[in-house]
Amino acid sequence: MEHNHDHSHHHHTTNKKVLFWSFLIIFSFMIMEAVGGILTNSLALLSDAGHMLSDAAALGLTLLAFNIGEKSITANKTFGYKRFEIIAAFINGVTLILISIFIFIEALRRFVEPPEVSGAMMIIAFIGFCVNILVAWLLMKGNSEENLNLKSALLHVMGDLLGSIGALVAGALILLFNWNIADPIASIIVAILIIISGIRITKDSLHILMEGKPTNVNIDEMKRSLLSLSGVQDVHDLHVWSITSEFPSMSCHIQVTEQTNRDQLLEEATKILQDSFSISHCTIQMEGRNISSCESCDHS
């Protein structure tokens, strides 16, 4: 149990570090672009600074969620504030969807009024591409596969990275072949990729907020594993949910025989849940007979 806690704490510390440096890089570059855009009266620079602002906001919100999640447990917040990380992931997911809708609208406008592409715009797109590559690399060093909050921030940066690639490719096609239509086509492709990611993050975070079962847990298999233990007659009121994407929890009632050593059984059941299902936070109620449960709550 302690090993699992230390492992999770190590991931948490690493995630915070990569988020802090990623936020610092994106925010600094955004300020440089905004100042440069104002001084040179460049709409292209100001536009890209706007993109960077959305990334900085997403990273800042994610970092804030990690910090709030570290607040101590209170009498009113018995799980602490860890759930705020999922709320932040949900906000980031919805933001990705809104950004993609905006890109769609902008792309349709550009079909009618193709933009002028200059060498300066290509340089801006390339610098933005390099910054996003660096930040994406930093974020990938975190635990984005398991942490939904960090994953949502990474997808924001990846979306902007795709935008930079699209701008570079479209700009090259326009400059070399005068294919003005390349710009809105590239924008629509990027928007589709972003909206798919946004929907997935929003759906996953909403699933956790609705106390949904973790996707990697098989309820039937868990019940069979518990029933296989010596002395267990029945398993009911079995519930599995997540506080955050890295904090699965479980509770159940186990009916046992009168001769069962309940302390030993509890130790065996806890070990199975930890080793086979990666659940270290569980509440198991043992009963000598089947106590009637609320039918509306019994999903086992």
Side-chain angles (χ1 to χ4, degrees), residues 283-296:
T283 304
I284 300 174
Q285 177 173 317
M286 293 193 186
E287 306 160 351
R289 57 189 176 83
N290 197 337
I291 298 175
S292 298
S293 60
C294 171
E295 289 184 5
S296 64

Side-chain angles (χ1 to χ4, degrees), residues 181-203:
I181 201 171
D183 183 75
I185 289 174
S187 298
I188 286 175
I189 292 171
V190 169
I192 291 171
L193 294 172
I194 293 174
I195 202 168
I196 289 171
S197 298
I199 290 171
R200 187 178 297 125
I201 286 292
T202 305
K203 183 182 174 183

Side-chain angles (χ1 to χ4, degrees), residues 224-233 254 265 268-270 272:
R224 282 194 298 270
S225 297
L226 293 172
L227 284 169
S228 70
L229 296 173
S230 177
V232 176
Q233 292 183 317
I254 296 181
L265 177 59
E268 291 172 357
T270 302
I272 282 180

Side-chain angles (χ1 to χ4, degrees), residues 19 57-67 85 88 92 147 149-150 152-153:
L19 269 171
L59 291 168
L61 177 63
T62 305
L63 189 59
L64 175 66
F66 272 113
N67 286 323
E85 292 181 20
N92 278 337
N147 189 283
N149 193 30
L150 187 64
S152 68

Side-chain angles (χ1 to χ4, degrees), residues 30 33-34 44-56 99 160:
M30 178 202 72
E33 277 196 320
L45 268 174
L46 290 172
S47 175
D48 202 58
H51 282 132
M52 288 295 180
L53 176 61
S54 73
D55 284 345
I99 288 171
D160 214 22

